[in-house]
């Protein structure tokens, strides 16, 4: 295992090692923005697999792998960011076999693997690396323990480790010694810290979900069984406009296009449930105000286009 300054550094390290300029790289769409940035930073060409909270489609993946023959696949099977989907063991087995046949090396981000929030707790599927021979896995303490920890790691087959260590100097100079000592201390008795983290996230998730259902009933989402966010579908593709309107109320949102390899996703927004219940409730209240303003402006524009004149009352 190689220690890094975070999952982003681990992704950059793995993709820099595995990708040559112009190589095709399979990624989920939507996807974690840092995964997209890592592939592009290594001059790879993204080939995307569309997915939602229901997860990964085997037939589509198999077709994409046959057609594109990507050298690398970057994926997040453990509470995928941003959809929250969890890949089951059967799908992991099938996908690992697809990678083997296609000659595709998997780079797996398992930063959220410890954030199972379902109750009663279920057994997590085995790590993706348990199903494939050539799999590089990256992780981070910032998701599972505390966002301020800039500690990550890379796990890889033994025959890859020397090359990863040699590549590291150009990508990641290391992490804070204080952070390393703090994480090392927590690792001696990890379960209490994880239990506290999960309990807090579970409470925050349920509070945020309740606020969205109450204040924004036209929005749709699947309550994730883990992870850090809700992936919301808006009734219309006005996400970028809503982001701007919400900022004027003091709430910062990220447009869905930030999670797309080629933009788009204007009908989606990611809402993190990493804030206190009271903060979430007030934020959603303000977003609801902004949402109503944006939808009203869309309705006004539509009536203008239909009548050919400006209405006296919008």
């Amino acid at each position: 295992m190689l220690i890094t300054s975070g999952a982003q550094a681990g992704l950059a390290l793995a993709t820099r090692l595995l990708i040559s300029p112009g190589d095709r790289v399979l990624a989920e769409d939507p996807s974690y923005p840092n995964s997209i940035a890592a592939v592009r930073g290594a001059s790879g060409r993204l080939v995307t697999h569309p997915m939602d909270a229901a997860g990964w489609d085997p037939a589509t993946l198999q077709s994409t792998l046959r057609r594109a023959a990507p050298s690398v696949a970057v994926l997040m099977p453990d509470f995928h960011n941003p959809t929250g989907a969890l890949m089951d063991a059967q799908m992991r087995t099938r996908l690992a076999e697809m990678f083997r046949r296609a000659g595709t090396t998997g780079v797996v981000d398992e930063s959220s693997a410890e954030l199972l929030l379902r109750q009663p707790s279920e057994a997590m599927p085995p790590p993706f690396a348990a199903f494939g021979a050539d799999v590089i896995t990256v992780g981070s303490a910032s998701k599972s323990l505390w966002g301020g920890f800039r500690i990550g790691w890379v796990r890889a087959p033994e025959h890859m480790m020397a090359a990863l260590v040699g590549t590291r100097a150009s990508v990641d100079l290391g992490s804070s010694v204080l952070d390393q000592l703090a994480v090392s201390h927590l690792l001696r008795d990890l379960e209490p810290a994880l239990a506290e983290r999960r309990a807090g996230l579970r409470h925050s998730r349920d509070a945020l979900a309740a606020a969205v259902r109450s204040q924004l009933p036209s929005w749709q989402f699947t309550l994730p069984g883990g992870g850090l966010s809700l992936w919301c579908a808006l009734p219309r593709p006005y996400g970028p406009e809503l982001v701007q309107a919400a900022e004027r109320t003091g709430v910062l949102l990220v447009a869905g296009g930030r999670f797309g390899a080629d933009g788009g996703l204007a009908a989606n927004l990611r809402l993190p449930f990493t804030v206190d219940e009271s903060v979430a409730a007030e934020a959603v209240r303000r977003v609801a105000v902004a949402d109503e303003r944006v939808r009203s402006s869309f309705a006004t524009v539509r009536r203008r286009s239909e009548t050919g004149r400006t209405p006296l009352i919008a």
Side-chain angles (χ1 to χ4, degrees):
M1 185 169 68
L2 182 64
I3 302 300
T4 69
S5 60
Q8 183 175 359
L11 286 167
L13 178 59
T15 51
R16 184 76 61 88
L17 173 66
L18 297 174
I19 300 172
S20 297
D23 280 356
R24 295 186 180 92
V25 180
L26 178 68
E28 298 137 334
D29 189 28
S31 186
Y32 182 44
N34 286 344
S35 298
I36 297 171
V39 173
R40 289 183 171 151
S43 301
R45 290 190 292 163
L46 281 164
V47 179
T48 58
H49 166 63
M51 63 172 291
D52 55 23
W56 300 258
D57 179 66
T60 303
L61 275 168
Q62 188 168 33
S63 174
T64 303
L65 285 166
R66 286 176 177 172
R67 171 178 49 84
S71 61
V72 176
V74 180
L75 66 154
M76 192 173 189
D78 300 295
F79 306 118
H80 171 263
N81 187 353
T83 68
L86 175 66
M87 187 183 293
D88 62 26
Q90 182 180 9
M91 183 64 202
R92 293 174 194 233
T93 301
R94 296 179 65 178
L95 187 53
E97 177 59 19
M98 291 181 201
F99 286 172
R100 187 190 66 78
R101 292 179 179 177
T104 301
T105 301
V107 177
V108 176
D109 182 350
E110 60 178 18
S111 298
S112 299
E114 302 291 344
L115 299 181
L116 174 66
L117 304 182
R118 293 193 185 102
Q119 283 189 315
S121 295
E122 304 171 9
M124 283 286 290
F128 191 91
F131 300 91
D134 287 337
V135 176
I136 294 179
T137 302
V138 304
S140 171
S142 64
K143 300 291 192 300
S144 57
L145 294 174
W146 178 54
F149 284 140
R150 308 318 303 169
I151 296 290
W153 51 85
V154 179
R155 295 200 305 272
E158 186 175 357
H159 69 271
M160 294 183 179
M161 288 305 298
L164 283 166
V165 171
T167 304
R168 179 182 175 179
S170 65
V171 176
D172 181 34
L173 296 179
S175 55
S176 162
V177 174
L178 180 61
D179 283 10
Q180 293 183 52
L181 291 172
V183 172
S184 177
H185 173 75
L186 290 171
L187 287 175
R188 294 171 190 163
D189 190 14
L190 184 59
E191 193 51 40
L194 288 177
E196 182 178 352
R197 174 69 163 159
R198 290 170 186 145
L201 288 173
R202 188 180 300 115
H203 181 77
S204 299
R205 178 200 62 180
D206 294 346
L208 178 63
V212 173
R213 291 184 181 121
S214 172
Q215 299 288 328
L216 296 158
S218 63
W219 290 26
Q220 297 181 349
F221 61 89
T222 298
L223 189 70
L228 296 165
S229 59
L230 302 181
W231 182 241
C232 299
L234 311 180
R236 293 187 59 197
Y238 56 82
E241 292 83 2
L242 179 57
V243 169
Q244 295 179 20
E247 185 173 1
R248 291 192 287 271
T249 73
V251 179
L252 298 180
L253 299 174
V254 180
R258 181 79 172 83
F259 302 89
D262 298 307
L265 301 174
N268 292 97
L269 282 175
R270 186 190 72 167
L271 299 182
F273 44 79
T274 52
V275 296
D276 293 338
E277 178 180 357
S278 59
V279 175
E282 176 61 18
V284 172
R285 185 193 68 79
R286 296 186 188 188
V287 170
V289 171
D291 184 80
E292 178 60 31
R293 290 172 181 168
V294 172
R295 294 175 69 179
S296 296
S297 68
F298 269 88
T300 300
V301 170
R302 184 171 63 252
R303 287 196 294 271
R304 286 176 179 173
S305 64
E306 291 172 352
T307 63
R309 65 181 188 276
T310 302
L312 293 177
I313 300 177

Short mmCIF file of all heavy atoms in Angstrom, two decimals, residues 179-204:
data_model
loop_
_atom_site.label_atom_id
_atom_site.label_comp_id
_atom_site.label_asym_id
_atom_site.label_seq_id
_atom_site.Cartn_x
_atom_site.Cartn_y
_atom_site.Cartn_z
N ASP A 179 -1.48 14.76 10.16
CA ASP A 179 -2.62 13.99 9.66
C ASP A 179 -2.33 12.49 9.71
O ASP A 179 -3.19 11.69 10.08
CB ASP A 179 -2.95 14.40 8.23
CG ASP A 179 -3.69 15.72 8.16
OD1 ASP A 179 -3.78 16.41 9.18
OD2 ASP A 179 -4.17 16.08 7.06
N GLN A 180 -1.13 12.11 9.32
CA GLN A 180 -0.77 10.70 9.33
C GLN A 180 -0.83 10.13 10.75
O GLN A 180 -1.34 9.03 10.97
CB GLN A 180 0.63 10.52 8.75
CG GLN A 180 0.74 10.82 7.27
CD GLN A 180 2.14 10.56 6.74
OE1 GLN A 180 2.69 9.49 6.94
NE2 GLN A 180 2.71 11.54 6.07
N LEU A 181 -0.34 10.89 11.72
CA LEU A 181 -0.34 10.42 13.10
C LEU A 181 -1.78 10.31 13.63
O LEU A 181 -2.12 9.36 14.34
CB LEU A 181 0.47 11.38 13.98
CG LEU A 181 1.99 11.38 13.75
CD1 LEU A 181 2.65 12.50 14.54
CD2 LEU A 181 2.59 10.03 14.13
N ALA A 182 -2.62 11.29 13.28
CA ALA A 182 -4.02 11.26 13.76
C ALA A 182 -4.77 10.07 13.18
O ALA A 182 -5.48 9.35 13.90
CB ALA A 182 -4.71 12.56 13.38
N VAL A 183 -4.61 9.83 11.88
CA VAL A 183 -5.29 8.70 11.25
C VAL A 183 -4.74 7.38 11.78
O VAL A 183 -5.50 6.43 12.03
CB VAL A 183 -5.16 8.77 9.71
CG1 VAL A 183 -5.69 7.50 9.05
CG2 VAL A 183 -5.90 9.99 9.18
N SER A 184 -3.43 7.32 11.99
CA SER A 184 -2.83 6.12 12.54
C SER A 184 -3.40 5.81 13.92
O SER A 184 -3.68 4.64 14.25
CB SER A 184 -1.31 6.29 12.63
OG SER A 184 -0.70 5.18 13.24
N HIS A 185 -3.63 6.84 14.72
CA HIS A 185 -4.22 6.65 16.04
C HIS A 185 -5.64 6.10 15.92
O HIS A 185 -6.02 5.16 16.65
CB HIS A 185 -4.23 7.99 16.80
CG HIS A 185 -4.97 7.94 18.10
ND1 HIS A 185 -4.45 7.34 19.23
CD2 HIS A 185 -6.21 8.41 18.44
CE1 HIS A 185 -5.33 7.44 20.22
NE2 HIS A 185 -6.40 8.09 19.76
N LEU A 186 -6.44 6.65 15.01
CA LEU A 186 -7.82 6.19 14.85
C LEU A 186 -7.89 4.76 14.32
O LEU A 186 -8.79 4.00 14.67
CB LEU A 186 -8.58 7.14 13.90
CG LEU A 186 -8.88 8.52 14.46
CD1 LEU A 186 -9.42 9.43 13.37
CD2 LEU A 186 -9.88 8.43 15.61
N LEU A 187 -6.93 4.40 13.49
CA LEU A 187 -6.93 3.06 12.91
C LEU A 187 -6.72 1.96 13.96
O LEU A 187 -7.07 0.80 13.72
CB LEU A 187 -5.86 2.95 11.83
CG LEU A 187 -6.16 3.68 10.51
CD1 LEU A 187 -4.95 3.60 9.58
CD2 LEU A 187 -7.40 3.11 9.82
N ARG A 188 -6.18 2.33 15.11
CA ARG A 188 -5.96 1.32 16.16
C ARG A 188 -7.28 0.81 16.71
O ARG A 188 -7.35 -0.32 17.22
CB ARG A 188 -5.11 1.92 17.28
CG ARG A 188 -3.69 2.25 16.85
CD ARG A 188 -2.96 3.04 17.93
NE ARG A 188 -1.69 3.55 17.44
CZ ARG A 188 -1.00 4.52 18.03
NH1 ARG A 188 -1.46 5.06 19.16
NH2 ARG A 188 0.14 4.94 17.52
N ASP A 189 -8.31 1.63 16.66
CA ASP A 189 -9.65 1.22 17.11
C ASP A 189 -10.66 1.96 16.23
O ASP A 189 -11.31 2.91 16.66
CB ASP A 189 -9.84 1.56 18.58
CG ASP A 189 -11.11 0.93 19.16
OD1 ASP A 189 -11.68 0.05 18.49
OD2 ASP A 189 -11.54 1.35 20.25
N LEU A 190 -10.78 1.50 15.00
CA LEU A 190 -11.48 2.27 13.97
C LEU A 190 -13.00 2.25 14.13
O LEU A 190 -13.67 3.24 13.82
CB LEU A 190 -11.10 1.72 12.60
CG LEU A 190 -11.65 2.45 11.37
CD1 LEU A 190 -11.20 3.91 11.37
CD2 LEU A 190 -11.18 1.76 10.10
N GLU A 191 -13.57 1.15 14.58
CA GLU A 191 -15.02 1.00 14.54
C GLU A 191 -15.79 2.08 15.31
O GLU A 191 -16.80 2.57 14.82
CB GLU A 191 -15.41 -0.39 15.04
CG GLU A 191 -16.86 -0.76 14.75
CD GLU A 191 -17.25 -0.55 13.29
OE1 GLU A 191 -16.44 -0.86 12.40
OE2 GLU A 191 -18.37 -0.07 13.05
N PRO A 192 -15.36 2.49 16.51
CA PRO A 192 -16.11 3.57 17.19
C PRO A 192 -16.16 4.86 16.38
O PRO A 192 -17.21 5.52 16.32
CB PRO A 192 -15.34 3.76 18.50
CG PRO A 192 -14.68 2.44 18.74
CD PRO A 192 -14.31 1.94 17.39
N ALA A 193 -15.05 5.23 15.75
CA ALA A 193 -15.04 6.45 14.93
C ALA A 193 -15.96 6.31 13.73
O ALA A 193 -16.69 7.24 13.37
CB ALA A 193 -13.61 6.76 14.48
N LEU A 194 -15.94 5.14 13.09
CA LEU A 194 -16.82 4.91 11.94
C LEU A 194 -18.28 4.90 12.37
O LEU A 194 -19.14 5.44 11.66
CB LEU A 194 -16.47 3.58 11.27
CG LEU A 194 -15.17 3.54 10.47
CD1 LEU A 194 -14.94 2.13 9.93
CD2 LEU A 194 -15.20 4.55 9.32
N ALA A 195 -18.57 4.30 13.50
CA ALA A 195 -19.96 4.24 13.98
C ALA A 195 -20.49 5.65 14.23
O ALA A 195 -21.65 5.96 13.88
CB ALA A 195 -20.04 3.40 15.24
N GLU A 196 -19.67 6.50 14.83
CA GLU A 196 -20.09 7.88 15.08
C GLU A 196 -20.29 8.64 13.77
O GLU A 196 -21.27 9.38 13.62
CB GLU A 196 -19.04 8.59 15.94
CG GLU A 196 -19.40 10.02 16.29
CD GLU A 196 -18.37 10.68 17.17
OE1 GLU A 196 -17.44 9.98 17.64
OE2 GLU A 196 -18.48 11.90 17.40
N ARG A 197 -19.39 8.44 12.83
CA ARG A 197 -19.50 9.10 11.53
C ARG A 197 -20.77 8.65 10.80
O ARG A 197 -21.51 9.46 10.26
CB ARG A 197 -18.26 8.76 10.70
CG ARG A 197 -18.26 9.25 9.25
CD ARG A 197 -18.16 10.74 9.16
NE ARG A 197 -17.78 11.16 7.83
CZ ARG A 197 -18.00 12.38 7.34
NH1 ARG A 197 -18.56 13.30 8.09
NH2 ARG A 197 -17.61 12.69 6.12
N ARG A 198 -21.03 7.34 10.80
CA ARG A 198 -22.21 6.83 10.11
C ARG A 198 -23.50 7.33 10.75
O ARG A 198 -24.44 7.70 10.06
CB ARG A 198 -22.19 5.30 10.13
CG ARG A 198 -21.12 4.67 9.26
CD ARG A 198 -21.03 3.17 9.55
NE ARG A 198 -19.94 2.53 8.84
CZ ARG A 198 -19.23 1.52 9.33
NH1 ARG A 198 -19.49 1.06 10.55
NH2 ARG A 198 -18.26 0.98 8.62
N ALA A 199 -23.53 7.35 12.08
CA ALA A 199 -24.73 7.82 12.77
C ALA A 199 -25.03 9.28 12.43
O ALA A 199 -26.19 9.65 12.18
CB ALA A 199 -24.57 7.65 14.28
N GLY A 200 -23.98 10.10 12.41
CA GLY A 200 -24.18 11.51 12.06
C GLY A 200 -24.65 11.69 10.64
O GLY A 200 -25.58 12.48 10.36
N LEU A 201 -24.06 10.95 9.71
CA LEU A 201 -24.45 11.05 8.30
C LEU A 201 -25.87 10.52 8.08
O LEU A 201 -26.64 11.07 7.28
CB LEU A 201 -23.47 10.29 7.42
CG LEU A 201 -22.09 10.93 7.23
CD1 LEU A 201 -21.17 9.99 6.47
CD2 LEU A 201 -22.21 12.27 6.49
N ARG A 202 -26.22 9.44 8.79
CA ARG A 202 -27.57 8.88 8.65
C ARG A 202 -28.62 9.90 9.08
O ARG A 202 -29.64 10.10 8.41
CB ARG A 202 -27.68 7.60 9.48
CG ARG A 202 -28.96 6.82 9.26
CD ARG A 202 -28.99 5.57 10.13
NE ARG A 202 -27.87 4.70 9.82
CZ ARG A 202 -26.89 4.41 10.68
NH1 ARG A 202 -26.87 4.97 11.88
NH2 ARG A 202 -25.92 3.59 10.33
N HIS A 203 -28.35 10.55 10.19
CA HIS A 203 -29.29 11.57 10.69
C HIS A 203 -29.38 12.74 9.71
O HIS A 203 -30.48 13.21 9.39
CB HIS A 203 -28.83 12.06 12.07
CG HIS A 203 -29.73 13.09 12.67
ND1 HIS A 203 -30.94 12.77 13.26
CD2 HIS A 203 -29.61 14.45 12.76
CE1 HIS A 203 -31.52 13.89 13.69
NE2 HIS A 203 -30.73 14.91 13.40
N SER A 204 -28.23 13.19 9.22
CA SER A 204 -28.21 14.31 8.28
C SER A 204 -28.88 13.95 6.97
O SER A 204 -29.61 14.75 6.37
CB SER A 204 -26.77 14.75 8.02
OG SER A 204 -26.14 15.17 9.21
#
